[in-house]
Amino acid sequence: MKPSPVFADAPVTIFEKMSGLAREYGAINLGQGFPEDPGPLALRERAAEAAIHGWNQYAPSRGLPELRQAVADHYNRMQSTALTAQEVIITSGATEAIAASVAAWVNPGDEVLIFEPAYDAYRPLIERAGGVVKSVVLKPPHWDLHQEALIAAIGPRTRAVLFNNPMNPAAKMFTAEELATLARVCIANDLLVISDEVWEHVRLGDRRHLPLALVDGMSERTIKIGSAGKMFGLTGWKVGFVCAPQDLIDPVARAHQFLTFATPPLLQTAVCEGLGWDASWFEAMGRDMGNRYALLRHSLEAEGFRCLDSDGTYFLNVDLAASGIGLGDAAFCELCVREHGVAAIPVSAFIQGGGQGSIIRLCFAKPDDVLLEAAGRLGRARKIFTKR
Ligand code: GLN
């Protein structure tokens, strides 16, 4: 008898679904988070050159030595860490890095804490490893992390936290106080933290990114994950980094060798070059995203929408109820993509049993004219729904 399929009940990811609908209806796609821009030419040229003249067979499983060194140097320079190349491995995207970290460290029956709304891969990856998800639901508009909620979610079988900062889809950067709270609780309960920091350079204001591993007592219990795709706006490249002390990273490297084994060397070579760029390049990228955020936000507010604050990521969240729209987020997104030519993501998709939510996520990493057109279309949709 054939086995039953494991992910039979899992929905097609909301990103795939909305991008599919956007294509089908010819809508502006502000759903799945990727920039419209093709990414830095210098890196694409470097990858092309490496494809023609470089090594195109398997890379070492842990990554090209020069890239592991470049990742360590990059973080040491930009974030004052003290990483060595041995404490870095390269994966095929951050999602693989998360999968490898979970596969390496979550045992059947282990409870793992997540914060919802949570990136959609976290829950299925933990559950597939036999782990049990414990969720702390953060509430808009500020998505504050409270110590009591954290402590209430922890039991004798809790082993790890899968954390995301800056947080997708909330577009939140946790404050130093919130990180200190998280650290205190993790240390008191001797928890491991898988810290997904892929949005670390996509900061929309002046606040600095605080790597969790740098909070006192956290370096020895934190597996940090980064992403070249997010750093350079090359999301299709799927080049991720894992950084952790030797005893934490070695098991992740073992898991990675059985997942993808290695990552395309031409992409690693190109990423290596980008990581060496001056801090000013990354600051300019953040400023550019900040300008796009401001443009979309102002245009939507002019149309009567209420927006939540974004500290980081490519995303702006809109509160439908506060904007006078009595429709649930999923229903609004369905109607918008089919009838009004804009694809967005309903945030309730990131909360297990989230029911009808009221917040939609829009990606602003698009040209100005596209953002203005989308805001106009959404404004017309709003007028119809507020009249209903
Ligand atoms: N990280 C992207 C987002 O949040 C989506 C990635 C994906 O489609 N799996 O929109």
Side-chain angles (χ1 to χ4, degrees):
M1 195 171 84
K2 292 214 282 310
S4 46
V6 173
F7 289 113
D9 294 333
V12 170
T13 80
I14 191 69
F15 308 117
E16 190 73 8
K17 176 179 168 181
M18 295 314 300
S19 284
L21 286 171
R23 279 190 294 270
E24 188 179 336
Y25 289 90
I28 296 175
N29 190 357
L30 303 190
Q32 195 174 33
F34 60 90
E36 187 107 336
D37 187 270
L41 182 61
L43 296 194
R44 290 183 288 124
E45 281 176 346
R46 188 77 187 87
E49 193 216 23
I52 303 295
H53 302 292
W55 176 257
N56 284 287
Q57 309 306 336
Y58 300 123
S61 179
R62 289 186 183 223
L64 296 183
E66 57 272 32
L67 180 56
R68 296 172 69 198
Q69 186 64 54
V71 171
D73 292 345
H74 177 84
Y75 286 129
N76 294 347
R77 182 166 56 89
M78 301 278 293
Q79 299 178 347
S80 309
T81 49
L83 286 167
T84 65
Q86 285 63 47
E87 295 168 317
V88 175
I89 66 167
I90 310 304
T91 57
S92 294
T95 302
E96 197 233 337
I98 296 163
S101 302
V102 168
W105 283 100
V106 176
N107 294 277
D110 288 353
E111 289 179 1
V112 181
L113 227 66
I114 65 169
F115 300 93
E116 288 182 307
Y119 189 60
D120 67 341
Y122 294 174
R123 184 180 285 272
L125 288 174
I126 293 165
E127 290 177 346
R128 188 62 188 131
V132 177
V133 172
K134 292 283 159 180
S135 162
V136 174
V137 180
L138 306 183
K139 297 287 182 202
H142 300 300
W143 318 98
D144 295 323
L145 174 60
H146 296 294
Q147 176 162 306
E148 312 78 68
L150 201 51
I151 291 173
I154 292 176
R157 308 201 65 169
T158 310
R159 299 283 177 266
V161 179
L162 181 34
F163 185 57
N164 182 207
N165 182 37
M167 184 183 180
N168 179 13
K172 172 192 171 78
M173 282 170 76
F174 287 89
T175 63
E177 293 73 39
E178 287 172 316
L179 295 184
T181 299
L182 176 65
R184 231 178 2 259
V185 173
C186 289
I187 293 164
N189 292 278
D190 194 19
L191 304 180
L192 172 81
V193 184
I194 299 167
S195 189
D196 169 354
E197 300 178 20
V198 299
W199 298 102
E200 58 199 339
H201 287 330
V202 191
R203 294 177 295 116
L204 307 173
D206 295 331
R207 278 174 57 198
R208 287 176 65 80
H209 172 71
L210 303 169
L212 187 67
L214 288 191
V215 179
D216 274 352
M218 291 306 288
S219 65
E220 63 265 37
R221 59 182 70 253
T222 302
I223 296 173
K224 180 243 178 71
I225 290 167
S227 159
K230 302 295 191 284
M231 282 184 184
F232 301 110
L234 292 162
T235 62
W237 278 21
K238 306 292 292 180
V239 177
F241 324 125
V242 185
C243 309
Q246 209 70 62
D247 59 322
L248 297 187
I249 206 164
D250 282 350
V252 180
R254 301 274 194 284
H256 160 71
Q257 65 186 351
F258 300 133
L259 287 171
T260 57
F261 181 72
T263 299
L266 68 156
L267 301 179
Q268 295 196 51
T269 301
V271 167
C272 201
E273 175 163 324
L275 287 172
W277 287 348
D278 195 73
S280 59
W281 187 89
F282 298 92
E283 282 152 17
M285 184 269 285
R287 265 198 310 280
D288 175 56
M289 287 299 163
N291 291 339
R292 294 176 196 286
Y293 161 60
L295 177 68
L296 182 60
R297 181 170 184 153
H298 290 144
S299 321
L300 287 171
E301 285 174 348
E303 297 287 349
F305 285 102
R306 280 292 192 83
C307 301
L308 273 55
D309 292 336
S310 296
D311 310 320
T313 75
Y314 295 152
F315 310 117
L316 164 66
N317 289 306
V318 173
D319 186 334
L320 297 179
S323 309
I325 298 171
L327 213 56
D329 59 349
F332 184 80
C333 287
E334 287 272 346
L335 275 166
C336 267
V337 69
R338 290 175 202 274
E339 293 177 18
H340 300 280
V342 181
I345 300 282
V347 167
S348 62
F350 302 102
I351 306 173
Q352 176 89 340
Q356 176 169 301
S358 176
I359 297 187
I360 63 166
R361 192 197 81 173
L362 299 168
C363 173
F364 51 71
K366 309 288 165 183
D368 292 1
D369 57 333
V370 173
L371 296 176
L372 292 174
E373 174 62 26
R377 291 184 189 185
L378 288 166
R380 287 192 285 281
R382 176 178 172 274
K383 286 202 183 75
I384 294 170
F385 295 125
T386 44
K387 260 192 245 148
R388 273 181 187 174

